[in-house]
Amino acid sequence: MNEFTFHRPESVASAVNHLRTSPEARFLAGGQSLLAAMKLGLATPAELVDLGRVRDLAGITADANSLRIGAITTHAAVAASSEVGSRIPALAQLAEGIGDPAVRSRGTIGGSLANNDPAACYPAGVLGLGATIETDRRKIAADDFFRGLYETALEPDEVIVAVRFPVVQKAAWMKFKQPASRFSLVGVFVSRGTQGVRVAATGAKACVFRVTALEQALTKDFSPKACDGVKISAEGLNRDLHASPEYRAHLIGVLAKRAVEQAVG
């Protein structure tokens, strides 16, 4: 790897200031994606700004209507949280299924969202629940956050502080994983709450997206049978050595039906 300068700020303001003064700096959260990219020479930041000591970015708080999860909260902490498990159990299930124990102990929710890998799990949960991403300067609705392949609405020097999830009536997560990487070949998150029915799919396109055809069908009848016959277009879906666009389209429908079965069961 190339040489770089390493910073360990203890406040959000200090972390942001490092990026404002050095355009070639990068935030480091859990490091599960960035460090691997650096080892391969795909990323060569001149400076790394480690967020691990910024205490304001960690922890989970809850009230009757929402959950707020700090950006550097690990997947393992989300999976083990009684607050998450009692209010949005599907989100705890999603976190428990990310990678392996080593990844879950280091990877963070904020890092996953900022990276926006096309097959990551958390983007589906965030979009499927209609969450809000809180940064050092604004609040961004999930519908406006994910822009494309590894692209988000974040400014270059903007840092995710927390994610706020609404507590919904019903929700479920289904993942068909690629067995080697454990990323989603296709993953589907379904919820029903004050924002209506939301269905988000990951692993199938350049980034997570809402499946409007299924949302419309489930709004009329939130039952597994409502998914039958819903046509999922293969146009624009990913093609790789693991699956064709047509297969991914089929998986979206199958996983959505299973998610609804779990949600209403």
Side-chain angles (χ1 to χ4, degrees):
M1 292 193 295
N2 292 347
E3 292 186 359
F4 55 87
T5 303
F6 190 74
H7 304 283
R8 302 194 76 179
E10 297 186 357
S11 71
V12 172
S14 178
V16 171
N17 186 60
H18 281 298
L19 262 75
R20 286 178 176 168
T21 56
S22 178
E24 295 184 7
R26 292 282 299 274
F27 287 128
L28 176 68
Q32 298 306 292
S33 298
L34 179 57
L35 294 184
M38 291 173 64
K39 288 178 181 179
L40 294 172
L42 300 175
T44 56
E47 301 181 37
L48 286 182
V49 181
D50 181 16
L51 300 174
R53 288 187 176 177
V54 184
R55 294 184 179 180
D56 291 346
L57 300 182
I60 300 170
T61 57
D63 56 36
N65 300 312
S66 68
L67 278 169
R68 187 178 186 272
I69 302 178
I72 64 169
T73 305
T74 64
H75 311 324
V78 174
S81 167
S82 59
E83 290 88 352
V84 178
S86 62
R87 290 168 174 80
I88 313 177
L91 188 61
Q93 178 191 354
L94 180 151
E96 177 62 29
I98 296 175
D100 54 31
V103 169
R104 292 192 291 274
S105 70
R106 293 296 304 170
T108 66
I109 184 171
S112 176
L113 297 179
N115 189 52
N116 193 23
D117 188 286
C121 299
Y122 262 127
V126 168
L127 187 60
L129 285 164
T132 300
I133 295 88
E134 301 178 358
T135 78
D136 61 302
R137 65 200 68 172
R138 57 178 172 155
K139 297 178 180 180
I140 310 172
D143 287 321
D144 300 322
F145 184 80
F146 305 101
R147 297 283 181 83
L149 184 66
Y150 296 106
E151 181 184 1
T152 71
L154 292 172
E155 298 294 334
D157 62 345
E158 190 171 11
V159 63
I160 298 175
V161 173
V163 185
R164 187 174 294 277
F165 294 88
V167 175
V168 296
Q169 297 166 354
K170 297 181 182 297
W173 161 248
M174 284 289 161
K175 174 181 178 180
F176 190 94
K177 66 184 179 183
Q178 202 284 331
S181 69
R182 301 186 184 181
F183 275 96
S184 298
L185 193 65
V186 171
V188 175
F189 199 102
V190 174
S191 77
R192 185 176 71 173
T194 58
Q195 299 183 41
V197 174
R198 299 177 68 95
V199 180
T202 186
K205 281 188 176 182
C207 78
V208 65
F209 64 100
R210 290 176 63 181
V211 189
T212 55
L214 285 167
E215 289 179 343
Q216 292 168 0
L218 291 168
T219 297
K220 296 176 182 177
D221 176 19
F222 195 80
S223 71
K225 67 179 182 179
C227 299
D228 294 337
V230 176
K231 176 66 174 177
I232 307 297
S233 174
E235 184 177 356
L237 299 191
N238 295 336
R239 179 189 298 276
D240 55 31
L241 60 86
H242 303 296
S244 67
E246 292 76 17
Y247 186 61
R248 283 187 162 92
H250 174 71
L251 277 178
I252 290 171
V254 170
L255 295 176
K257 182 175 182 176
R258 292 178 182 176
V260 176
E261 288 175 346
Q262 179 170 298
V264 301

